[in-house]
């Protein structure tokens, strides 16, 4: 959703989701609980906020399913009338230019042997030639599958597992919609995916490469987003008690997030996705926030508008920082300034890339990817 078509409430939710991912990855690299933030808010709270960032990815999946379905219905009137060629072309124009730029940076530095860009996360380290299947898997929607067989092998590239989940959804949606044609069959498929998600995660609850990154581990969130969009499309007036539902869903989202992933690998992601879906269905079309609240939340909405570029390039910034400053060198007082530097540099790079590729972004029209939109 570009320009005037953007919904500020969805941008806000997306901004919170990408913020949780940024915090997670910085905390994994440098730690945050032993910083002024830990002293201010308590180490347990900071750890909960930082360590559960994968729930933010789940929220991305819900937004993706919701926006792709909503925008397809708005453009073609029915999912069964999707123009697959136009759909794929729009997705490629939006996704590929910044992705190819990010991959070019990572591969160039990785082949030069720069730590955190090469394939040394694997044990033993993999050669530069492994970039061929690695980059190929990112571009052909199975990077998460490659990780399940090779493990964590590249600090930067492994972040792109979620894009493979998104891309497979984009590939499948027009084909499935044109094949099934009936809305009730699409709904039935969505329900089947929602049931399959917890079952798959239960079968792999002891292996995060599966319960976090597998297709079936993530498609229940996308399905909930799609079903939420189909419901919203049929609503001719706001849901009864929409404001109450929105507040309850927001409270549930925060509570589930802070409760954490550990011990809740099976249903935790589904409940997070359901709360996010309720927020989307009950969202307000016009902002009723005060000017003060709007200004206060503006940075989070900005993150939402630039979430795809942040997703792609924040790990490049973090890898560069890790080459400059080891975790052992960064003590209590330095962690918060370094975190601020990481956020500022990631935001500046994301803004620059989006500006550089703005013409291509505008040419896609409305978009539904939680990062790329």
């Amino acid at each position: 959703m570009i320009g005037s078509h953007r919904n500020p409430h969805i941008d806000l939710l997306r901004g919170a989701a990408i913020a949780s991912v940024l915090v997670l990855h910085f905390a994994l690299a440098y730690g945050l609980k032993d910083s002024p933030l830990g002293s201010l808010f308590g180490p347990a709270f900071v750890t909960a906020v930082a360590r559960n960032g994968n729930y933010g990815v789940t929220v991305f999946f819900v937004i993706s399913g919701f926006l792709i379905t909503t925008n397809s219905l708005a453009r073609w009137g029915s999912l069964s009338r999707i123009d697959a060629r136009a759909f794929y072309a729009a997705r490629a124009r939006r996704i590929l230019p910044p992705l190819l730029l990010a991959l070019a940076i990572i591969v160039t530095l990785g082949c030069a042997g720069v730590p955190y860009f090469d394939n040394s996360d694997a044990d033993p380290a993999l050669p530069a030639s492994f970039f061929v299947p690695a980059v190929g898997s990112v571009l052909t929607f199975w990077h998460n599958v490659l990780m399940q067989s090779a493990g964590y092998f590249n600090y930067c590239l492994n972040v792109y597992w979620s894009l493979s989940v998104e891309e497979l959804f984009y590939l499948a949606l027009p084909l499935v919609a044109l094949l099934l044609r009936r809305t009730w069959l699409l709904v039935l498929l969505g329900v089947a995916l929602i049931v399959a998600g917890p079952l798959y995660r239960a079968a792999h609850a002891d292996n995060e490469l599966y319960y976090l990154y597998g297709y079936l581990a993530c498609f229940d969130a996308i399905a909930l987003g799609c079903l939420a969009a189909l419901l919203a499309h049929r609503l001719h007036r706001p849901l009864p008690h929409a404001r109450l539902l929105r507040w309850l869903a927001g409270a549930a989202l925060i509570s589930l997030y802070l409760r954490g992933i550990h011990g809740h690998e099976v249903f935790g992601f589904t409940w997070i996705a359901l709360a996010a879906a309720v927020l989307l269905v009950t969202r307000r079309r016009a902002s009723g926030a005060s000017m003060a609240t709007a200004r206060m939340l503006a940075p989070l909405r900005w993150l939402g508008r630039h979430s795809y570029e942040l997703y792609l390039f924040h790990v490049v910034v973090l890898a560069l920082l890790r080459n400059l400053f080891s975790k052992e060198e960064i003590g209590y007082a330095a962690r918060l300034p370094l975190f601020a530097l990481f956020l500022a540099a990631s935001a500046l790079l994301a803004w620059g890339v989006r500006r550089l590729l703005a013409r291509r972004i505008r040419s896609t029209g409305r978009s539904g990817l939680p990062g790329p939109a």
Side-chain angles (χ1 to χ4, degrees):
M1 301 175 75
I2 304 298
S4 61
H5 297 293
R6 302 196 72 96
N7 184 295
H9 306 292
I10 295 178
D11 276 340
L12 190 64
L13 185 61
R14 185 160 32 197
I18 191 62
S20 71
V21 173
L22 297 179
V23 171
L24 167 67
H25 290 159
F26 183 87
L28 289 174
Y30 289 106
L32 274 175
K33 68 173 182 173
D34 297 322
S35 76
L37 287 177
S39 299
L40 182 62
F41 297 105
F45 178 78
V46 171
T47 298
V49 171
R51 292 290 177 166
N52 297 312
N54 278 297
Y55 275 156
V57 181
T58 301
V59 173
F60 276 148
F61 290 148
V62 178
I63 297 172
S64 180
F66 183 85
L67 286 181
I68 284 290
T69 304
T70 296
N71 294 334
S72 297
L73 290 170
R75 182 172 182 181
W76 290 292
S78 168
L79 293 181
S80 64
R81 292 200 290 268
I82 286 181
D83 183 335
R85 180 177 296 182
F87 180 92
Y88 293 142
R91 291 289 79 217
R93 285 195 301 269
R94 178 61 183 106
I95 294 171
L96 285 178
L99 175 61
L100 291 174
L101 177 59
L103 291 175
I105 294 171
I106 293 167
V107 172
T108 299
L109 294 176
C111 289
V114 179
Y116 300 105
F117 290 94
D118 57 15
N119 298 318
S120 59
D121 274 17
D123 187 18
L126 295 169
S129 60
F130 197 74
F131 276 117
V132 174
V135 171
S137 70
V138 174
L139 296 174
T140 52
F141 329 143
W142 57 282
H143 189 69
N144 52 336
V145 176
L146 180 63
M147 287 175 61
Q148 288 173 343
S149 62
Y152 296 102
F153 63 89
N154 184 287
Y155 180 73
C156 290
L157 288 182
N158 286 162
V159 172
Y160 298 159
W161 69 268
S162 58
L163 189 57
S164 288
V165 175
E166 296 275 1
E167 289 170 330
L168 189 63
F169 165 56
Y170 300 148
L171 177 66
L173 179 64
L175 301 178
V176 170
L178 294 171
L179 177 65
L180 297 182
R181 304 193 68 81
R182 304 287 185 180
T183 299
W184 71 268
L185 287 175
L186 292 171
V187 170
L188 190 62
L189 176 60
V191 171
L193 289 172
I194 293 168
V195 172
L199 292 176
Y200 177 88
R201 291 191 293 269
H204 302 284
D206 59 342
N207 189 335
E208 69 176 28
L209 288 169
Y210 284 82
Y211 77 73
L212 284 179
Y213 309 143
Y215 292 122
L216 283 179
C218 304
F219 278 173
D220 57 335
I222 293 178
L224 278 164
C226 294
L227 294 182
L230 290 171
L231 174 61
H233 183 68
R234 290 180 173 271
L235 291 175
H236 301 294
R237 62 188 65 181
L239 283 172
H241 311 296
R243 183 180 179 86
L244 175 61
L245 288 173
R246 189 163 53 247
W247 278 101
L248 290 174
L253 195 63
I254 295 171
S255 175
L256 290 164
Y257 185 98
L258 294 177
R259 185 183 67 165
I261 295 172
H262 181 67
H264 306 286
E265 295 87 353
V266 176
F267 290 105
F269 296 94
T270 301
W271 293 126
I272 284 280
L274 180 61
V278 172
L279 280 176
L280 291 171
V281 171
T282 59
R283 77 198 192 284
R284 294 166 292 179
R285 297 189 178 275
S287 177
S290 66
M291 290 298 293
T293 301
R295 284 194 296 268
M296 183 176 65
L297 296 177
L300 210 53
R301 290 196 297 272
W302 188 94
L303 292 179
R305 291 194 300 273
H306 295 79
S307 56
Y308 181 45
E309 289 78 14
L310 283 166
Y311 162 71
L312 290 177
F313 290 95
H314 82 279
V315 71
V316 173
V317 173
L318 196 51
L320 290 171
L321 287 177
R322 295 190 74 176
N323 278 287
L324 294 173
F325 310 104
S326 69
K327 184 175 183 179
E328 292 71 27
E329 293 174 322
I330 304 301
Y332 171 89
R335 284 199 175 104
L336 191 53
L338 187 64
F339 181 51
L341 174 63
F342 162 64
L343 293 179
S346 297
L348 182 61
L349 183 55
W351 175 83
V353 169
R354 192 171 179 89
R355 291 275 293 182
L356 178 67
L357 303 172
R359 183 172 299 176
R360 286 184 176 271
I361 292 172
R362 286 194 297 268
S363 72
T364 66
R366 296 182 180 181
S367 173
L369 182 59

